[in-house]
Amino acid sequence: SGGSSSLAAPKDKGLKLGFTSVSYVPVITLRTVINSIPASVDLPYLLCDAQGHDVNVIKSAGDSLKRIKKIVMEVDVMKHGRAYYDIGDTNKQEHADAYMSKMGYRKVGWSCNGFDYITEKMHYQNEHSECEEANITYERID
């Protein structure tokens, strides 16, 4: 409670975000998780919210990702990245879109600040948007 769940360091080292301790946790790939589920079990949906590391988590599944029909992940939609954490640009929407397309998925919806949009013509928020990140929904093309 009151802490951060990010694996990334704050951008501004002098910024007081209420950190009182650092914990180290083991990390496994999404491929390991998916492959631990028997192939006979249908995997219709995955929601990934990895605090700015979503694209890397999804990529860690490799070809196992294709077992999942619909995937929602939180990606950065601002041109200038996240306000508080230094995660680079690997979680930007353009990286998610390119990877998911390569893996055989198409974008079918997105939501931001409580508003849901269902369209194939989604694009970035501009610099005036209040949306820093959005949940993008991708569906496997069969």
Side-chain angles (χ1 to χ4, degrees), residues 11-75:
K11 280 184 177 179
D12 179 355
K13 303 298 184 205
L15 188 62
K16 302 294 182 210
L17 294 175
F19 299 117
T20 58
S21 66
V22 174
S23 298
Y24 295 93
V25 296
V27 178
I28 61 172
T29 65
L30 185 55
R31 178 191 322 247
T32 300
V33 174
I34 293 170
N35 289 345
S36 72
I37 301 168
S40 60
V41 175
D42 188 34
L43 301 176
Y45 183 80
L46 171 74
L47 171 63
C48 182
D49 184 351
Q51 302 302 322
H53 300 277
D54 302 64
V55 175
N56 287 332
V57 168
I58 295 296
K59 284 181 174 181
S60 78
D63 286 339
S64 297
L65 193 67
K66 294 177 182 177
R67 285 187 58 193
I68 302 167
K69 176 72 174 167
K70 189 177 282 190
I71 298 170
V72 177
M73 73 174 99
E74 188 177 80
V75 298

Side-chain angles (χ1 to χ4, degrees), residues 71-125:
I71 298 170
V72 177
M73 73 174 99
E74 188 177 80
V75 298
D76 298 335
V77 294
M78 288 187 73
K79 291 180 181 178
H80 306 295
R82 292 185 177 228
Y84 301 112
Y85 296 105
D86 186 12
I87 60 170
D89 68 353
T90 60
N91 208 55
K92 290 203 175 273
Q93 182 181 350
E94 67 233 35
H95 298 297
D97 289 349
Y99 184 75
M100 296 305 285
S101 177
K102 177 180 137 185
M103 295 302 289
Y105 288 80
R106 67 183 176 100
K107 190 169 17 179
V108 295
W110 67 290
S111 65
C112 175
N113 293 338
F115 295 98
D116 293 326
Y117 305 89
I118 300 173
T119 177
E120 291 186 21
K121 297 183 178 181
M122 293 164 279
H123 53 81
Y124 295 101
Q125 301 295 303

